[in-house]
Amino acid sequence: MGPTRIMAVRHGESEANRAHREAGSAPLVYERGDDEVTLTDLGRAQAAAFGRSLAGLPAAETPEVVWCSPYLRALDTWRVALEAWGAGALPVTVDARLRDQESGAFARYNLAAIRQRFPEEMARREAEGAYAFRPPDGESLADVVVRLRDLLADLREHAAGRRVLIVAHDSVVLGLRHVLTGGPDADLAAVLEFAPVLNASVSVWDHSGLVRFNDVGHL
């Protein structure tokens, strides 16, 4: 049977998101580890807005259980959202399969810095395509999809008949769109047409299929 409803929210703006935005096309080296990145003031405001939007949902659409990435920016998004929602504590499962796509050797760099430091790898990325490319010691989007299939199998067993909120990352939301629409792996590249997944955006699926995607109307 599985969950009756899956809602996925990307974390609010992080310090790394802001640093990348401010760097623009200039090379950037970000010093903090991916799992340690926290929210900016804007990110906390976005998370609070998401929480208030949960308070406005009809009872039949409100989440009953939460599955969250272990990365700090996702955990903080849920903490701020829950406080703004004002609901009682929900069961929360922190699951490493919801972590962001691992960038490996590219983790601390923006695209401009990667092109500067790893020109041969960037050429390989352009040749293979962004969804299939796996950076050194990192993951491809296809790798993210593999772990999401495993996660959803667990949700079918452990969250059957329940409404699930997933708090995670842009790569996870894109991967969910691919997996939950049931497309063959060969069509995974098409999901990149729906990027970027915006900070604090909401995507929802129920038994009828995709209800809304990358929605930021609550912000």
Side-chain angles (χ1 to χ4, degrees):
M1 178 179 178
T4 59
R5 188 176 182 88
I6 293 177
M7 175 185 291
V9 61
R10 185 190 178 195
H11 60 81
E13 183 190 67
S14 71
E15 292 178 338
N17 293 151
R18 182 178 62 191
H20 280 246
R21 173 168 48 81
E22 291 176 348
S25 60
L28 170 71
V29 180
Y30 192 77
E31 296 302 327
R32 191 169 294 174
D34 198 24
D35 59 333
E36 303 170 320
V37 174
T38 60
L39 297 178
T40 63
D41 288 343
L42 174 59
R44 285 186 284 273
Q46 291 170 331
F50 168 64
R52 291 191 294 271
S53 76
L54 292 176
L57 290 176
E61 297 180 10
T62 55
E64 297 174 287
V65 294
V66 178
W67 289 55
C68 189
S69 161
Y71 286 7
L72 185 58
R73 57 191 181 275
L75 293 167
D76 284 348
T77 295
W78 171 238
R79 176 183 55 79
V80 172
L82 180 62
E83 182 177 356
W85 181 8
L90 270 66
V92 178
T93 299
V94 178
D95 196 305
R97 291 170 293 184
L98 291 172
R99 68 191 183 277
D100 204 357
Q101 181 178 347
E102 294 183 357
S103 299
F106 294 177
R108 299 181 187 274
Y109 309 116
N110 66 354
L111 277 177
I114 293 168
R115 288 192 183 96
Q116 185 181 80
R117 293 167 181 255
F118 305 94
E120 293 181 357
E121 289 295 332
M122 283 303 295
R124 185 167 67 87
R125 180 180 185 269
E126 291 171 4
E128 295 179 0
Y131 82 97
F133 174 72
R134 182 183 293 119
D137 301 319
E139 292 182 304
S140 66
L141 184 56
D143 293 327
V144 175
V145 164
V146 169
R147 52 177 157 95
L148 289 177
R149 290 192 190 281
D150 188 59
L151 173 89
L152 290 168
D154 281 354
L155 286 181
R156 284 192 289 274
E157 178 180 355
H158 298 297
R162 310 194 80 180
R163 299 182 297 274
V164 177
L165 170 63
I166 292 174
V167 186
H169 309 273
D170 53 351
S171 62
V172 169
V173 177
L174 285 173
L176 286 171
R177 178 168 183 132
H178 173 70
V179 174
L180 291 172
T181 54
D185 288 346
D187 292 335
L188 180 55
V191 82
L192 295 176
E193 297 176 8
F194 301 100
V197 176
L198 303 175
N199 288 117
S201 64
V202 174
S203 301
V204 178
W205 295 263
D206 64 16
H207 287 317
S208 68
L210 181 64
V211 177
R212 54 192 171 116
F213 187 77
N214 208 10
D215 184 359
V216 290
H218 54 286
L219 298 181

